[in-house]
Amino acid sequence: MELEDESDCEHKTVRPLTASQEVHNVVDLEEIATVHRGEIQGAVYCVAVPKASDSSCLLIYAHGFRAEGTVSFAEIDDPFWLRLVQQGWTVAATSYRRSGLIVADAIRDIFNLRNWVCCEVGIPAWCFLDGRSMGGAIATRVAERPNIKALFNGVLAIGAALLVKEEGSELNYKPTIPMLYLTNTSEHGPIESYIAK
């Protein structure tokens, strides 16, 4: 199809996705999404499914270290996640089945949550894992799993605490899906070492 001029095109303004701009415009999650809460094998979850979308994109959040004895909770309250929900993404979070240092069971809880979303909401066309601190270390280990491409399209690891170790959950330094590390200069050593290997 040939266009006579630009007026034949539908123009949309694309706004960059930035959390900092949204801090002052926080919306009520319940207004923009159907929120599901529950528990899977001891892990509390929260899933926000946008009301105005086919929700074909999924972001799962892997949180950082929480001291032993911390009450289990899962919330979707980060301005960046709220913006994603506004833009049609389903966003999900898990508390993991226990607090403290947890890697292998946290990975199981992330997979359980993804499975729940697939069964109750639908299979996403795109699925990403957002891990912060210990959650970044967990996300890195998820990215290294064989055949993970069938479940996740990529990982965002923010301030990944790659030195977190749990017996049986060692790094193999061979991610099989794209990863993006965001870190400050005081924490980049372990990430540079990971990338170099």
Side-chain angles (χ1 to χ4, degrees), residues 56-76:
S56 61
C57 296
L58 170 63
L59 178 81
I60 298 178
Y61 171 59
H63 69 75
F65 180 83
R66 293 178 181 165
E68 288 186 30
T70 301
V71 175
S72 294
F73 67 94
E75 290 299 326
I76 298 168

Side-chain angles (χ1 to χ4, degrees), residues 130-194:
D130 171 359
R132 301 181 186 185
S133 190
M134 182 180 73
I138 292 164
T140 297
R141 285 162 173 88
V142 168
E144 293 180 341
R145 295 176 80 94
N147 303 316
I148 201 65
K149 288 180 185 180
L151 301 178
F152 289 94
N153 298 91
V155 163
L156 171 62
I158 301 173
L162 294 184
L163 299 179
V164 167
K165 294 181 181 177
E166 183 182 73
E167 190 175 328
S169 296
E170 292 78 18
L171 294 168
N172 69 23
Y173 303 94
K174 297 177 184 173
T176 61
I177 57 175
M179 298 185 63
L180 175 61
Y181 285 108
L182 299 178
T183 190
N184 61 44
T185 56
S186 67
E187 298 175 326
H188 65 78
I191 293 168
E192 284 182 343
S193 296
Y194 180 88

